[in-house]
């Protein structure tokens, strides 16, 4: 058994993907094992999982759905040879080595030269000239049948919009009047590929053999715009030795062009192996007439299909382009805010705890704004020393200070026309706050050591994890600057307030680091995921990212287990009933008792207790916080404040 997916249509056409024994996700998000750049796909579209000697596919509540053999599905077991359609892509599930030859409706081309028994121009088709029909053809049942078929096709082609359904109906009606065993409609392609699509059918619907087509004949029809009839293939000098025709026992074939506004847009190909039902020129005239009647409808259906895909693509592009991960209600509010403010020129203030994605939100605003082609300059106000920050922001003139041997542009000047992202704006010194206020008001500044004002056209996005309102009240931040920055404000939610996003984030981050470290793909065990969902995440997404990177490196199995996660995550009690919860909860209780014993022995002195335990005092504080034993320490009879200096110190430390 060699399970694999063969791509027969879509962006990854002609590719083959081996299927692993575990689960594989398909979607447009890079975290999927099979990622496809197709806007009609959802981020996580569907999942394939091994089930015995076969596979099962389930749709992950995708926007456009998943189809198997043309039918929409939610969860279904797959068989060898099934076709899976997601967005613009079609996959063929192959479970055996001989699978390539068993695909129904697949087209194969045979390069060979052929001599036609008849050739003519489409405008000479008899059935498209009513006056000539009346003059030259006798009234017979065959003529009446052919004209009736043309009438039916004329009615059908103007009532069906879906391209595949239209092609299927045309071939069905052709089979009613032409003794063909196989048929195909091929539409022109671009570049080196002569055909963009090939729709093939057998007269017997259950036939599992592919429809084999002579590439030479179809290309000749496309290039010259001539209809071709091979009435007697075995008796033809050019066709009798063609392997594909011999192996298919083809006795007659014909191929006619599809022409729209004097441009050949495709062709209709038919053949038969029945010696008693050879094609003649009447069949050729009839199929050419059908081609003339249906060519415009096929082109319109194809253009409609393209327009629908293009509309979907453009709609997707018009939606917010961002790198934030999450589908929770809180994150949807964030996306709506970003989409509304991005096209404007107003200043934006982003607040929220460290690690919540403030810079990603700022970059999303820039990417979706009219300034997207201009610079995005990020400045961390806390990372640059106060003495250097002014020259970094405004630049300096030559000789402005010792070491200023040449003029240097500041970052505000570099960002002219674009966006300046001031991260940790709450750490900006009061003196620089006044100068920044002038930039926001006047859109001009002077370099350090300069006298000439420099005008800039910038949009400012500021971010902080501090409460600027409180900083204004305490005099640590200028209220006028605060109001200038706080035109549009957004609070990025902490991870503990959007726990439903943790699983999606975890899968994405694991896939990211699998690719980064070039290691074997790993999954999170249900127990490890329970630990992640149970943790409070004071460091938010940044802490989750670090935890999963560590887990991926430390794990020696194909599945990440709780013991691979950082100890701080395991210090939170797990819900009983989860595998491993008993062990981890008992370890947690032992830690709590050890700490309480050490605190009692040290009479509330944290430093002494840390020495007893053999850990750093900061680690002891973290353990007490993570193990939720502040109240237990505070309420211990031996540690109640007021009984001595050490007890009073302990009480003070607990309060902080």
């Amino acid at each position: 058994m060699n399970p694999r997916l063969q791509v027969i249509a879509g962006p990854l056409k002609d590719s083959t993907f081996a299927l692993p024994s575990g689960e594989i996700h398909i979607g447009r998000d890079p975290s999927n094992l099979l990622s496809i750049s197709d806007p009609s796909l959802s981020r996580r579209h569907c999942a394939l999982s091994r089930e015995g000697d076969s596979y099962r596919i389930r749709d992950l509540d995708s926007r456009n759905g998943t189809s198997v053999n043309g039918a929409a599905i939610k969860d279904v077991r797959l068989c060898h040879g099934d076709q899976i359609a997601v967005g613009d892509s079609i996959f063929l599930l192959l479970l055996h080595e001989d699978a390539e030859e068993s695909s129904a409706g697949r087209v194969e081309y045979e390069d060979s030269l052929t001599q036609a028994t008849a050739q003519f121009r489409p405008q000479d088709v008899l059935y498209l000239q009513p006056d000539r029909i009346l003059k030259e053809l006798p009234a017979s049942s065959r003529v009446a049948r052919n004209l009736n078929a043309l009438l039916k096709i004329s009615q059908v082609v103007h009532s069906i919009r879906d391209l595949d359904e239209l092609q299927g109906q045309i071939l069905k009606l052709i089979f009613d009047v032409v003794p063909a065993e196989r048929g195909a409609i091929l539409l022109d392609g671009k570049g080196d590929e002569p055909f963009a699509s090939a729709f093939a059918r057998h007269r017997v619907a259950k036939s599992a053999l592919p429809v084999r087509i002579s590439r030479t004949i179809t290309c000749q029809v496309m290039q010259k715009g001539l209809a071709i009839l091979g009435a007697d293939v075995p008796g033809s000098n050019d066709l009798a030795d063609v392997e594909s025709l011999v192996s298919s026992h083809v006795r007659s074939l014909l191929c006619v062009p599809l022409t729209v506004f004097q441009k050949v847009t495709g062709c209709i190909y038919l053949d038969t192996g029945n010696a008693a039902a050879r094609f003649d020129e009447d069949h050729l005239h009839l199929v050419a007439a059908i081609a003339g009647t249906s060519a415009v409808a096929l082109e319109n259906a194809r253009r409609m299909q393209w327009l629908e895909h293009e509309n979907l693509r453009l709609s997707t592009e018009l939606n917010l382009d961002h790198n934030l991960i999450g589908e929770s209600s809180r994150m949807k509010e964030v996306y709506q805010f970003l989409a509304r403010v991005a096209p404007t020129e107003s200043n934006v203030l982003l607040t929220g705890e460290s690690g919540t994605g403030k810079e990603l939100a700022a970059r999303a605003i820039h990417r979706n704004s009219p300034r997207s082609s201009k610079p995005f300059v990020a400045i961390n106000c806390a990372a640059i020393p106060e003495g250097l920050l002014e020259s970094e922001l405004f630049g300096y003139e030559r000789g402005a200070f010792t070491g200023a041997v040449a003029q240097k542009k500041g970052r505000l000047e570099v960002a002219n026309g674009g966006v300046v992202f001031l991260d940790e704006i709450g750490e900006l010194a009061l003196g620089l706050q006044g100068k920044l206020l002038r930039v926001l008001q006047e859109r001009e500044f002077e370099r350090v050591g300069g006298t000439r004002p420099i005008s800039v056209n910038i949009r400012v996005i500021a971010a902080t994890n501090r409460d600027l309102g409180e900083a204004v009240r305490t005099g640590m931040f200028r209220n006028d600057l605060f109001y200038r920055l706080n035109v549009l404000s957004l609070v990025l939610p902490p991870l503990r307030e959007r726990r439903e996003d943790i699983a999606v984030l975890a899968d994405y981050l694991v896939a990211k680091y699998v690719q980064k470290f070039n290691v074997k793909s790993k999954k999170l065990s249900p127990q490890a995921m329970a630990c992640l969902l149970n943790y409070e995440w004071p460091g938010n997404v940044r802490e989750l990212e670090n935890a999963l990177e560590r887990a991926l490196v430390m794990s020696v199995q194909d599945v990440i287990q709780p013991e691979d996660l950082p100890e701080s995550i395991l210090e939170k009690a797990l819900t009983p009933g989860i595998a491993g919860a008993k062990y981890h909860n008992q370890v947690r209780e032992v830690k709590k008792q050890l700490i309480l014993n050490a605190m009692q022995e040290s009479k509330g002195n944290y430093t002494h207790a840390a020495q007893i335990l053999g850990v750093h005092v900061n680690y002891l504080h973290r353990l007490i916080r993570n193990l939720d034993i502040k109240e237990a320490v505070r309420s211990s009879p031996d540690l109640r404040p007021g009984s001595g200096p050490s007890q009073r110190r302990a009480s003070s430390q607990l309060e902080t």
Side-chain angles (χ1 to χ4, degrees):
M1 185 175 177
N2 181 23
R4 58 207 182 279
L5 286 178
Q6 182 178 336
V7 188
I8 58 178
L12 303 178
K13 184 181 178 183
D14 298 329
S15 301
T16 301
F17 296 90
L19 292 176
S21 57
E23 189 172 68
I24 173 176
H25 284 185
I26 300 175
R28 76 171 192 273
D29 197 283
S31 66
N32 294 289
L33 195 57
L34 181 48
S35 175
I36 305 174
S37 180
D38 180 355
S40 61
L41 292 184
S42 298
R43 289 180 179 274
R44 289 160 58 86
H45 198 97
C46 63
L48 277 169
S49 57
R50 184 75 172 267
E51 190 173 90
D53 292 335
S54 183
Y55 279 80
R56 177 171 289 275
I57 186 169
R58 65 189 160 86
D59 185 76
L60 301 177
D61 297 325
S62 62
R63 181 176 57 218
N64 294 321
T66 303
S67 298
V68 174
N69 299 327
I73 62 94
K74 284 296 182 184
D75 190 336
V76 69
R77 184 184 175 90
L78 297 171
C79 298
H80 170 68
D82 281 348
Q83 288 190 2
I84 304 165
V86 292
D88 292 337
S89 299
I90 299 177
F91 303 96
L92 186 65
L93 178 65
L94 305 176
L95 300 177
H96 311 300
E97 292 298 335
D98 59 346
E100 288 80 0
E101 291 301 320
S102 63
S103 170
R106 186 164 52 85
V107 169
E108 293 182 358
Y109 297 100
E110 175 65 31
D111 291 319
S112 61
L113 295 175
T114 182
Q115 181 178 358
T117 59
Q119 297 185 1
F120 59 89
R121 295 184 300 274
Q123 55 265 37
D124 297 331
V125 173
L126 179 64
Y127 289 100
L128 295 182
Q129 304 177 57
D131 294 336
R132 186 179 166 195
I133 292 175
L134 295 176
K135 292 179 181 179
E136 299 187 18
L137 292 180
S140 65
S141 60
R142 184 170 181 179
V143 172
R145 184 188 62 185
N146 291 346
L147 290 176
N148 186 50
L150 284 173
L151 178 60
K152 283 183 179 179
I153 288 178
S154 179
Q155 294 171 338
V156 164
V157 298
H158 297 295
S159 63
I160 299 175
R161 189 178 71 174
D162 181 75
L163 180 59
D164 286 346
E165 183 183 355
L166 177 59
Q167 292 178 110
Q169 284 296 319
I170 290 173
L171 287 179
K172 180 178 180 296
L173 291 172
I174 288 176
F175 288 150
D176 289 341
V177 292
V178 178
E181 292 181 326
R182 294 166 292 273
I185 297 176
L186 299 98
L187 302 178
D188 65 327
K190 296 180 180 179
D192 297 332
E193 288 295 326
F195 302 109
S197 67
F199 187 94
R201 283 290 183 270
H202 291 265
R203 176 184 289 274
V204 180
K206 295 183 179 180
S207 176
L209 294 174
V211 177
R212 295 185 175 182
I213 296 174
S214 170
R215 185 187 295 270
T216 302
I217 291 176
T218 53
C219 287
Q220 186 176 338
V221 169
M222 293 287 293
Q223 292 167 5
K224 297 183 178 181
L226 296 173
I228 294 178
L229 168 66
D232 183 11
V233 172
S236 170
N237 294 332
D238 294 321
L239 299 178
D241 296 327
V242 177
E243 183 178 349
S244 63
L245 299 179
V246 172
S247 62
S248 299
H249 306 290
V250 173
R251 295 282 182 168
S252 294
L253 65 84
L254 64 82
C255 187
V256 298
L258 295 163
T259 307
V260 178
F261 300 123
Q262 300 182 346
K263 178 186 176 184
V264 178
T265 60
C267 64
I268 298 176
Y269 174 92
L270 301 170
D271 68 28
T272 181
N274 188 348
R278 294 181 180 178
F279 300 157
D280 55 29
E281 288 197 20
D282 189 76
H283 292 131
L284 186 64
H285 279 274
L286 176 60
V287 177
I290 292 172
T293 302
S294 57
V296 173
L298 286 166
E299 185 66 9
N300 287 341
R302 181 161 65 153
R303 289 185 177 274
M304 180 65 70
Q305 186 182 72
W306 179 85
L307 286 171
E308 288 175 349
H309 291 160
E310 187 69 1
N311 182 56
L312 182 60
R313 183 185 68 83
L314 292 174
S315 298
T316 303
E317 289 183 358
L318 288 174
N319 290 335
L320 188 65
D321 177 19
H322 62 85
N323 291 327
L324 296 164
I325 305 293
E327 298 296 334
S328 63
S329 58
R330 292 294 303 274
M331 289 306 295
K332 287 179 180 178
E333 292 173 3
V334 170
Y335 301 150
Q336 292 170 2
F337 174 87
L338 298 179
R340 286 197 299 268
V341 306
T344 71
E345 289 294 313
S346 301
N347 297 330
V348 180
L349 177 62
L350 303 174
T351 60
E353 297 176 9
S354 178
T356 52
K358 295 186 288 295
E359 183 168 350
L360 290 178
R363 290 185 182 275
I365 293 173
H366 171 251
R367 257 198 319 271
N368 295 276
S369 74
R371 298 174 179 264
S372 58
S373 60
K374 300 298 182 180
F376 177 90
V377 177
I379 305 169
N380 190 322
C381 300
I384 303 174
E386 182 180 340
L388 298 178
L389 186 55
E390 182 177 3
S391 60
E392 283 292 322
L393 285 172
F394 306 114
Y396 53 80
E397 298 289 352
R398 179 181 180 182
F401 51 82
T402 303
V405 296
Q407 183 192 79
K408 179 186 176 182
K409 291 183 178 181
R411 297 196 189 182
L412 296 180
E413 193 173 351
V414 170
N416 189 33
V419 171
V420 173
F421 175 57
L422 298 173
D423 198 9
E424 304 294 350
I425 188 69
E427 308 301 321
L428 195 64
L430 283 170
L432 287 177
Q433 291 178 24
K435 295 183 178 182
L436 179 60
L437 177 63
R438 182 178 177 234
V439 175
L440 297 179
Q441 290 176 331
E442 308 296 336
R443 288 297 192 268
E444 66 177 27
F445 61 90
E446 296 175 1
R447 297 193 187 105
V448 176
T451 57
R452 179 177 62 87
I454 298 171
S455 298
V456 288
N457 174 20
I458 57 174
R459 182 182 187 181
V460 175
I461 302 175
T464 182
N465 57 13
R466 294 182 58 184
D467 183 350
L468 288 189
E470 179 62 26
V472 169
R473 286 189 289 273
T474 59
M476 298 300 295
F477 201 84
R478 294 179 59 123
N479 61 347
D480 46 5
L481 177 59
F482 173 68
Y483 295 127
R484 277 287 178 182
L485 293 173
N486 195 31
V487 178
L488 298 168
S489 61
L490 170 69
V491 179
L492 275 297
L495 193 54
R496 61 182 174 276
E497 293 181 7
R498 55 184 187 106
R499 292 183 184 274
E500 57 267 49
D501 290 331
I502 291 177
V504 177
L505 275 164
D507 289 342
Y508 169 79
L509 293 171
V510 168
K512 170 185 171 182
Y513 284 112
V514 163
Q515 185 176 13
K516 179 179 178 180
F517 299 139
N518 194 25
V519 297
K520 187 177 179 181
S521 179
K522 297 184 180 182
K523 293 174 57 178
L524 282 158
S525 69
Q527 298 80 17
M529 183 61 74
C531 292
L532 299 183
L533 294 172
N534 192 58
Y535 187 54
E536 291 299 312
W537 299 109
N540 295 293
V541 180
R542 188 178 293 119
E543 185 182 5
L544 174 63
E545 188 170 6
N546 294 340
L548 291 174
E549 180 179 356
R550 176 192 185 278
L552 193 64
V553 172
M554 298 300 294
S555 176
V556 295
Q557 305 176 54
D558 291 339
V559 177
I560 296 174
Q561 300 293 346
E563 53 266 27
D564 300 320
L565 298 171
E567 189 178 357
S568 58
I569 297 175
L570 303 179
E571 287 163 0
K572 292 292 291 183
L574 292 176
T575 304
I578 298 176
K582 183 176 181 180
Y583 167 77
H584 291 292
N585 287 342
Q586 287 184 353
V587 170
R588 184 173 180 271
E589 290 301 318
V590 170
K591 287 183 179 180
K592 289 168 61 174
Q593 194 58 50
L594 285 172
I595 292 171
L596 289 173
N597 291 342
M599 291 297 294
Q600 290 176 357
E601 184 178 344
S602 66
K603 301 188 183 301
N605 186 298
Y606 275 66
T607 303
H608 188 199
Q611 291 173 349
I612 293 171
L613 294 170
V615 299
H616 193 277
V617 66
N618 292 340
Y619 181 57
L620 177 60
H621 280 285
R622 197 203 76 181
L623 284 171
I624 292 175
R625 182 175 63 251
N626 289 343
L627 295 170
D628 294 328
I629 56 174
K630 275 189 178 182
E631 290 300 323
V633 171
R634 180 182 288 123
S635 60
S636 175
D638 296 332
L639 301 178
R640 285 176 181 168
S643 59
S646 62
Q647 284 83 353
R648 287 191 291 271
R649 285 196 302 272
S651 175
S652 175
Q653 287 173 320
L654 286 170
E655 293 297 331
T656 59

